[in-house]
């Protein structure tokens, strides 16, 4: 027996919660039909108790069908449809039916039908209905008159039905062997269907609950190879050089967009491409991204206002999103607004700059030094320069995953807006620092945030350029004094500062509402952030996903895009726009019933 489906990029091993058999079904369906978005187009999993004739009885999870009518003549025929139609994104769809008992006469039909087809008939007898019947082995294509097709079937046989949504054909299998094409020119949105007509007839369906008898994988591999071969044969001809140059520019802009400075420089040198942004600006953006991804949002806001004056003033929605994220990080104990209260290392007591006001109209501020004693660390509405060791969580490009409102984009921050114009050379917002850090230090390496908490690190802005300090050092004593997985790191003063910050955030929300009108996105963002305080363990609560470090990524992406846009550079790299366009094209193909989209997935070309 052939296991249903080989591994796929989106197959995954994780299964949704539920009984083991449901988990196995979900895994098998994902492996077989990775292109199907089951939230939009659910796959058939059982027979429908609502879409059947009353002579049909269902049992065993609506997978077993038995006949309970009189069975005197064809007027006593009865059918049942599956719960959902076959999604076009399957490309190739397959289900099997086992004949538990042929009953009195074995007048059974297995096939397909459209919504609305009369269920007081066997499949194949009416328009938009197709069936293979067991008593005579005939196929019925929207007609009461059958055509010779295959062998008869009886008790113990397993009949499979395969729908090819690429060429709109259907073939059947018997006990694992193909019987050849039965129907052509099939319409879309057909439902798996079975029909019975005489007493004692019982059949069981397998929509993926068990491995299939027929090796459907091999047939799928054949068609996947056909589609991919068609793509590879796409004519480029004399324009090969243009295509190569275009792809090289797309890769280069992608590296620059995400701050891979030395890699972008090396790539540009090898391919003779031009980087459209000053290296200093790239490094500044990279350092701001690192701060956000480390949960040090307050410092990122200050750095942004000092390096890019006016940017956040003119993007109140972005500022509000950053401030909401900062509040979440204060709950997490990672933002310097609260970490400064528990910092005790000599360096952390030396100085820390004040941070900008919450007001969106507040411009950039200069850094001020505050000398404090060891027993009375102070922290304005600001950011303390503290130390930390490097974290280890890889930052993926433009993450589309967003499971909480705190990471949702405000209405004015459009992640998918296209800007395909040529990049213009950016204005240099900052002068060169006294000592450039090495390219290897600039690269955004894989980072890790243990329990969402990053140890303090020291970064400063000097002469308009972000200066990197001791990012790889570790302050063990600071970490010992800040227990993880406690509200605001377990510090009472930090908790009070967080509450005060929340009040200021509420005031900012009301101010934005007065100036720009009500914003439901802002309201939900604020509610979700504040809801964390309603639970004794915020990390394990209904809104606790906000504290997951991965939720920093959409915020980081929005800020990075806004910085680029302020310099007249594309807010999204052309490579991501091209991939997004290709993915959307495949989704549209699925919606209009073009099954080839299932074997032309973008992910297949990214590995």
């Amino acid at each position: 027996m052939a296991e249903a489906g080989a591994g796929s990029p989106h197959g995954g091993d994780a299964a949704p919660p539920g009984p083991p058999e449901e988990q196995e079904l979900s895994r098998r369906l994902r492996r077989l039909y990775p292109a199907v978005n089951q939230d939009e187009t659910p796959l058939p999993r059982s027979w429908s108790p609502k879409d059947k004739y009353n002579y049909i009885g269902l049992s065993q999870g609506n997978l077993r069908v038995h006949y309970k009518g009189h069975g005197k003549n064809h007027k006593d025929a009865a059918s049942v449809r599956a719960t959902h139609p076959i999604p076009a994104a399957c490309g190739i769809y397959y289900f099997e039916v086992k004949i538990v008992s042929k009953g009195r006469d074995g007048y059974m039909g297995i096939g397909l039908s459209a919504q609305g087809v009369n269920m007081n008939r066997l499949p194949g007898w009416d328009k938009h209905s197709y069936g293979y019947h067991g008593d005579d082995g005939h196929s019925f294509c929207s007609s009461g008159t059958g055509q010779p097709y295959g062998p008869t079937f009886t008790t113990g046989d397993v009949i499979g039905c395969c729908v090819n949504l690429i060429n709109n054909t259907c073939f059947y299998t018997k006990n694992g062997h193909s019987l050849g094409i039965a129907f052509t020119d099939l319409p879309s949105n057909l439902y798996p269907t079975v029909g019975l007509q005489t007493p004692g007839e019982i059949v069981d369906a397998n929509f993926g609950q068990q491995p299939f008898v027929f090796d459907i994988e091999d047939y799928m591999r054949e068609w996947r190879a056909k589609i991919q071969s068609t793509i590879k044969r796409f004519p480029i001809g004399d324009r090969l050089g243009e295509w190569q140059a275009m792809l090289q520019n797309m890769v280069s802009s992608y590296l620059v967009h995400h701050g891979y400075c030395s890699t972008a420089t090396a790539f540009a040198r090898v391919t003779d491409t031009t980087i459209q942004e000053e290296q200093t600006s790239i490094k500044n953006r990279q350092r701001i991204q690192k701060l956000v991804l480390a949960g040090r949002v307050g410092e990122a806001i200050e750095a942004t206002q000092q390096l890019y004056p006016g940017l956040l003033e003119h993007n109140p929605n972005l500022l509000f999103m950053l401030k909401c994220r900062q509040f979440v990080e204060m709950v997490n104990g990672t933002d310097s607004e609260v970490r400064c209260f528990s910092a005790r290392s000599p360096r952390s007591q030396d100085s820390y700059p004040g941070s900008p006001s919450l007001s969106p109209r507040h411009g950039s501020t200069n850094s001020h030094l505050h000398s404090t004693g060891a027993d009375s660390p102070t922290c304005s509405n600001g950011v303390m320069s503290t130390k930390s060791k490097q974290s280890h969580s890889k930052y993926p490009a433009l993450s589309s995953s967003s499971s909480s409102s705190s990471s949702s984009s405000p209405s004015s921050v459009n992640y998918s807006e296209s800007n395909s114009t040529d990049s213009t050379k950016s204005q240099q917002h900052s002068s060169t620092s006294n000592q450039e850090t090495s390219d290897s230090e600039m690269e955004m390496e894989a980072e890790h945030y243990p329990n969402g908490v990053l140890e303090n690190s020291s970064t400063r802005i000097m002469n308009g350029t972000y200066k990197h300090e001791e990012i790889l050092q570790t302050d063990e004593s600071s970490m010992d004094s800040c227990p993880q997985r406690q509200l605001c790191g377990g510090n009472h003063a930090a908790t009070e500062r967080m509450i005060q910050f929340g009040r200021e955030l509420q005031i900012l929300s009301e101010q934005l509402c007065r100036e720009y009108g009500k914003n439901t996105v802002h309201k939900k963002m604020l509610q979700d952030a504040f809801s964390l305080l309603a639970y004794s363990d915020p990390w394990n609560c209904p809104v606790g996903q906000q504290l997951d470090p991965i939720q920093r990524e959409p915020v980081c992406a929005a800020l990075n895009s806004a910085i680029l846009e302020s310099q007249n550079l594309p807010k999204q790299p052309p490579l991501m726009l091209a991939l997004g366009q290709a993915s959307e094209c495949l989704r549209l193909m699925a919606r209009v019933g073009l099954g080839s989209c299932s074997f032309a997935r973008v992910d297949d070309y990214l590995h």
Side-chain angles (χ1 to χ4, degrees), residues 456-567:
N456 298 354
S457 85
S458 175
T459 47
R460 298 183 186 177
I461 300 172
M462 301 178 63
N463 299 325
T465 300
Y466 212 80
K467 183 78 173 174
H468 210 62
E469 289 188 14
E470 297 161 341
I471 197 99
L472 298 176
Q473 295 186 21
T474 304
D475 182 2
E476 297 297 341
S477 61
S478 174
M479 284 305 297
D480 292 341
S481 64
C482 182
Q484 296 180 8
R485 306 289 287 186
Q486 294 187 49
L487 189 68
C488 297
N491 186 282
H492 180 69
T495 303
E496 289 184 345
R497 174 65 195 117
M498 175 201 63
I499 293 172
Q500 176 60 31
F501 187 93
R503 294 193 184 103
E504 295 168 2
L505 188 55
Q506 178 66 41
I507 292 172
L508 174 61
S509 175
E510 294 169 358
Q511 177 185 341
L512 292 175
C513 187
R514 287 193 300 271
E515 294 185 14
Y516 301 101
K518 292 183 178 180
N519 189 316
T520 56
V521 174
H522 285 187
K523 182 178 179 180
K524 186 156 193 339
M525 206 181 296
L526 199 63
Q527 281 180 344
D528 285 350
F530 287 172
S531 294
L532 291 167
L533 303 185
Y535 300 91
S536 58
D537 183 3
W539 290 268
N540 295 299
C541 74
V543 291
Q545 73 273 12
Q546 295 176 85
L547 297 168
D548 191 326
I550 199 173
Q551 299 298 336
R552 300 165 184 164
E553 293 165 2
V555 179
C556 180
L559 178 56
N560 187 46
S561 294
I563 292 173
L564 286 165
E565 194 173 29
S566 72
Q567 300 178 82

Side-chain angles (χ1 to χ4, degrees), residues 11 14 62 100 134 163 171 191 231 234 292 302 318 348 359 373 377 384 423 481-483 498 500 507 527 582:
N62 294 333
V100 178
V163 183
F171 71 86
Y191 292 71
I231 294 172
F234 180 80
V292 176
E302 180 190 16
L318 176 59
S348 67
S359 170
M384 180 151 89
S423 298
S481 64
C482 182
M498 175 201 63
Q500 176 60 31
I507 292 172
Q527 281 180 344

Side-chain angles (χ1 to χ4, degrees), residues 244-245 248-249 252 264-276:
Q244 288 178 331
Q248 288 169 354
N249 284 324
S252 177
T265 301
F267 183 82
R269 187 165 52 247
V270 171
T271 59
D272 196 27
T273 54
T274 303
I275 296 178
Q276 299 295 325

Side-chain angles (χ1 to χ4, degrees), residues 84-206:
H84 299 97
I86 301 168
C90 288
I92 290 170
Y93 180 79
Y94 185 74
F95 71 99
E96 289 182 340
V97 173
K98 181 176 182 179
I99 313 304
V100 178
S101 172
K102 79 176 189 67
R104 191 184 71 197
D105 299 325
Y107 290 169
M108 300 170 288
I110 298 169
L112 309 158
S113 65
Q115 181 68 47
V117 171
N118 187 2
M119 290 283 92
N120 187 201
R121 307 271 283 171
L122 289 183
W125 285 353
D126 298 303
K127 187 176 181 181
H128 295 151
S129 179
Y130 310 86
Y132 168 36
H133 294 193
D135 61 305
D136 55 13
H138 287 187
S139 63
F140 290 76
C141 179
S142 302
S143 170
T145 303
Q147 300 295 324
Y149 170 66
T152 61
F153 51 86
T154 186
T155 302
D157 288 331
V158 176
I159 304 301
C161 179
C162 181
V163 183
N164 186 323
L165 296 121
I166 301 170
N167 62 8
N168 300 316
T169 63
C170 169
F171 71 86
Y172 289 88
T173 67
K174 180 180 178 182
N175 299 328
H177 301 284
S178 174
L179 302 179
I181 298 295
F183 309 114
T184 60
D185 301 319
L186 293 175
S188 58
N189 293 318
L190 294 175
Y191 292 71
T193 307
V194 297
L196 309 176
Q197 188 177 314
T198 62
E201 294 172 352
I202 305 172
V203 298
D204 284 346
N206 177 12

Side-chain angles (χ1 to χ4, degrees), residues 177-244:
H177 301 284
S178 174
L179 302 179
I181 298 295
F183 309 114
T184 60
D185 301 319
L186 293 175
S188 58
N189 293 318
L190 294 175
Y191 292 71
T193 307
V194 297
L196 309 176
Q197 188 177 314
T198 62
E201 294 172 352
I202 305 172
V203 298
D204 284 346
N206 177 12
F207 295 105
Q209 284 81 2
Q210 302 294 329
F212 294 121
V213 175
F214 176 71
D215 188 1
I216 190 62
E217 294 177 68
D218 189 56
Y219 185 69
M220 287 181 165
R221 280 193 293 267
E222 177 186 333
W223 274 92
R224 183 177 291 109
K226 287 181 181 179
I227 297 300
Q228 293 180 352
S229 175
T230 301
I231 294 172
K232 290 176 182 177
R233 291 198 310 269
F234 180 80
I236 295 177
D238 297 334
R239 299 185 60 195
L240 178 60
E242 295 177 37
W243 282 81
Q244 288 178 331

Side-chain angles (χ1 to χ4, degrees), residues 302-370:
E302 180 190 16
T304 301
Q305 292 206 330
Q306 293 212 16
L307 292 169
Y308 307 97
L311 173 63
L312 296 181
E313 295 177 46
H314 297 103
N315 288 272
N317 286 341
L318 176 59
L319 177 63
F320 188 79
M321 177 170 62
L322 286 166
K323 288 296 182 181
C324 283
R325 187 66 217 176
Q326 185 178 1
F327 180 85
V328 172
E329 297 300 346
M330 292 173 77
V331 174
N332 224 353
T334 52
D335 191 79
S336 296
E337 284 272 3
V338 295
R339 288 188 65 78
C340 65
F341 288 99
S342 57
R344 287 292 184 272
S345 67
R347 180 174 300 276
S348 67
Q349 294 170 18
D350 287 344
S351 63
Y352 49 91
S355 75
S357 161
L358 277 168
S359 170
R361 300 193 179 282
H362 187 83
S364 61
T365 61
N366 295 326
S367 298
H368 301 285
L369 299 179
H370 302 270

